Amino acid sequence: MSMTSYSNQTSSAARFTSFLRNYYIYFVLVAVVVLLSTANLDQFALFERGNFLYKRNIINILRVSAPLLVMAGAFTLLMVSGYIDLSVGSAMSLSAVVYAMLAINGVPFIPAFALTVLVGVLLGAINGFLVVRLNITPVIATLITLSLFKGVALLLVQDGVSAIKSGNFLKIPGWFNDYGRAKVLFDLPAAFWVAVAVTLALIVVQNRGKLGKYAAATGGNPTAAKLSGINTGRTVFLLYVIVGASAALAGIARSSFMSLGDPLSGDGMELTAILVVLLGGTAFSGGEGRVLRSFVGALIIMMLTVGMLTIVPAYYQTLVIGSALLAAAASNHLVSRKGKES
């Protein structure tokens, strides 16, 4: 074999590997849709009630996906920078409680929404301060705030009550459900469209903005980033603030959808967020990842979670979801490794 032929084959293999690395998540999405929509074709025809592709089923999946979708992009950029936030679930829970408290005490929608987002910004700033200013390892710092935020959320709920909700003396206002449930466009609520808007904004930030470039540089090679003049500390701090704000938006969406402020509503969300970004191809060590792919990864997880309710017995669902995620993550790892070797 001539050197030219060998070089051409190597180049073709590298291009194919790069193609798989960039687009495999979309093939996984299609595969999941095909699997779920054909699993019970012997009972329900495509697009009919009972089938995965039934319109109301798809709308329901997208509605309940709003909290995870709105957090996926911000969490991706933070992990691209080489950092992590394990407190997002607790921040989401605390935000849900704050939002419900404000609403049940007569605060109108816009002020309640804005104040809750500001609370999320504050929670993110606390994480940023611990990690950037006090130089506490991100995992340790955010494990601390995971407990702290959850404790505050539980303290805000009265003794003997599991969540903030309508009672004998105070009532959740009628508008409270609108954000997470009322139809705005294509039968989907504002919470979903805010998640889409936030994702689009973060895609622009990643592709066009300095923050996206600085995040990738910080995660790829922190020393080189500092030597090139990038203020890595400020970059990471800002990313934590954005994650905190997105966690607040997730809390508002969940609280509005559930009609209550549950201090445990975000439990486990940090693990789900990590799975989403890893499924989307974000490198755990930082330096690589795309917001859009994480958004698709979040859709895949929610489709598996909700779509299997009528297909797989409950005690098998966690196993099936875990197996699917393991297969997808392993495929991404193998493809990424081959790309580096090429």
Side-chain angles (χ1 to χ4, degrees):
M1 179 184 296
S2 66
M3 289 297 296
T4 302
S5 299
Y6 178 78
S7 178
N8 289 337
Q9 288 185 5
T10 303
S11 178
S12 297
R15 285 196 298 268
F16 180 70
T17 301
S18 177
F19 175 81
L20 285 180
R21 187 167 62 251
N22 291 326
Y23 297 103
Y24 90 99
I25 190 69
Y26 306 106
F27 293 114
V28 174
L29 175 64
V30 172
V32 168
V33 172
V34 171
L35 174 65
L36 293 176
S37 60
T38 57
N40 56 2
L41 273 180
D42 57 327
Q43 297 175 300
F44 308 102
L46 284 176
F47 308 111
E48 287 188 358
R49 186 182 183 88
N51 185 271
F52 174 75
L53 291 178
Y54 180 56
K55 179 182 176 181
R56 293 191 64 178
N57 184 55
I58 296 298
I59 289 173
N60 182 56
I61 290 173
L62 294 178
R63 285 198 309 169
V64 299
S65 299
L68 184 58
L69 293 175
V70 81
M71 281 202 301
F75 205 88
T76 300
L77 289 180
L78 181 63
M79 285 191 64
V80 166
S81 72
Y83 289 76
I84 196 169
D85 184 353
L86 298 179
S87 71
V88 288
S90 295
M92 173 181 162
S93 297
L94 178 54
S95 298
V97 169
V98 169
Y99 183 62
M101 280 187 62
L102 292 171
I104 206 169
N105 283 285
V107 179
F109 168 67
I110 293 179
F113 188 97
L115 287 171
T116 304
V117 173
L118 285 177
V119 168
V121 169
L122 174 61
L123 300 182
I126 291 173
N127 283 330
F129 178 79
L130 294 177
V131 172
V132 176
R133 299 300 180 188
L134 300 186
N135 291 317
I136 301 176
T137 303
V139 171
I140 301 301
T142 56
L143 275 176
I144 292 171
T145 53
L146 181 154
S147 298
L148 176 64
F149 299 161
K150 185 174 183 178
V152 174
L154 290 169
L155 284 174
L156 290 177
V157 179
Q158 294 180 350
D159 291 339
V161 179
S162 60
I164 294 178
K165 53 187 176 181
S166 294
N168 295 329
F169 302 103
L170 294 174
K171 300 290 184 181
I172 292 284
W175 53 260
F176 191 78
N177 290 118
D178 292 346
Y179 181 72
R181 289 181 174 270
K183 299 174 183 178
V184 174
L185 183 64
F186 300 121
D187 291 339
L188 290 165
F192 173 79
W193 294 114
V194 168
V196 171
V198 168
T199 301
L200 290 174
L202 291 177
I203 289 173
V204 173
V205 167
Q206 184 174 37
N207 294 335
R208 303 287 184 179
K210 289 183 178 179
L211 182 61
K213 295 180 176 63
Y214 289 173
T218 301
N221 191 327
T223 302
K226 290 178 181 178
L227 292 176
S228 64
I230 296 174
N231 189 329
T232 56
R234 184 168 59 189
T235 298
V236 173
F237 183 86
L238 183 55
L239 289 173
Y240 271 111
V241 168
I242 294 173
V243 169
S246 71
L249 290 173
I252 293 172
R254 180 64 60 83
S255 182
S256 177
F257 185 82
M258 296 174 64
S259 300
L260 50 80
D262 185 356
L264 304 178
S265 60
D267 279 13
M269 185 61 79
E270 59 281 346
L271 296 179
T272 305
I274 293 172
L275 285 174
V276 163
V277 296
L278 292 180
L279 182 61
T282 300
F284 196 83
S285 57
E288 182 181 352
R290 308 302 299 177
V291 170
L292 180 57
R293 293 206 298 258
S294 294
F295 185 88
V296 175
L299 284 177
I300 291 171
I301 287 181
M302 293 308 300
M303 285 180 178
L304 288 171
T305 302
V306 180
M308 290 193 310
L309 292 176
T310 58
I311 299 174
V312 181
Y315 46 83
Y316 281 126
Q317 288 172 14
T318 303
L319 175 62
V320 173
I321 292 173
S323 299
L325 292 174
L326 177 61
S331 299
N332 174 260
H333 173 72
L334 291 175
V335 170
S336 298
R337 188 177 66 180
K338 288 181 180 179
K340 292 178 181 179
E341 291 174 352
S342 300

